[in-house]
Amino acid sequence: MITKRIPDRLARPTESVARGTAAPLASAADCGLLLIRLTFGLLLAGHGAQKLFGLFGGHGLTATGMGFETLGFHPGKLFAVIGGGSEFLGGLGLAVGLFTPLAAAALIGMMITAMVTVTGAHGLWDTDGGVEYNVCIALVALSIAAIGPGRLAFDRFFRWGDGGWREAAFALGLGGIAAAITLSL
């Protein structure tokens, strides 16, 4: 009976895989994770840059700060820096695969805060102003923390670079704590 062995995406180039060949430097899974991280991370970094710097048609820090004040966050400009910085730095971190659990936590915390303060009252679907978009962002960030950023990431040199339950729990826990603190202020 012939069976095919699917090589582990985390197999190192020196490890033997199916039929005695060496694992490629980057598997299809690693390339797929890179594509997701780059697209997702850079779009979120751009979203943060809209808030912080007024780039890409954004309103910039002063106008964003006024928007945060209308939501009850005082001083609004400080919360705009925190929110925009979380999206900008969290997005860049995911894009390059650096401090992935921390980057995921920043995005998860921001999305929980957005769901509680803005979108939660509008139901599920984004067309009604609901949480759909925020849930997707939070779950993609959490999933990347759980799976790990892949071998095409700076985190490959660190023990958290392989992802796992601890990394996912860290990202979700820290994101939740950050949101709880922000919402209590």
Side-chain angles (χ1 to χ4, degrees), residues 60-127:
L61 199 52
T62 301
T64 302
M66 287 188 271
F68 272 81
E69 291 218 1
T70 64
L71 293 171
F73 293 104
H74 302 283
K77 200 167 192 177
L78 173 64
F79 282 95
V81 169
I82 293 168
S86 294
E87 291 172 347
F88 184 70
L89 295 174
L92 289 179
L94 281 187
V96 300
L98 182 61
F99 303 118
T100 301
L102 187 59
L107 297 172
I108 291 167
M110 187 62 187
M111 292 305 109
I112 291 171
T113 303
M115 286 185 267
V116 170
T117 59
V118 180
T119 60
H122 303 286
L124 176 61
W125 302 112
D126 188 54
T127 53

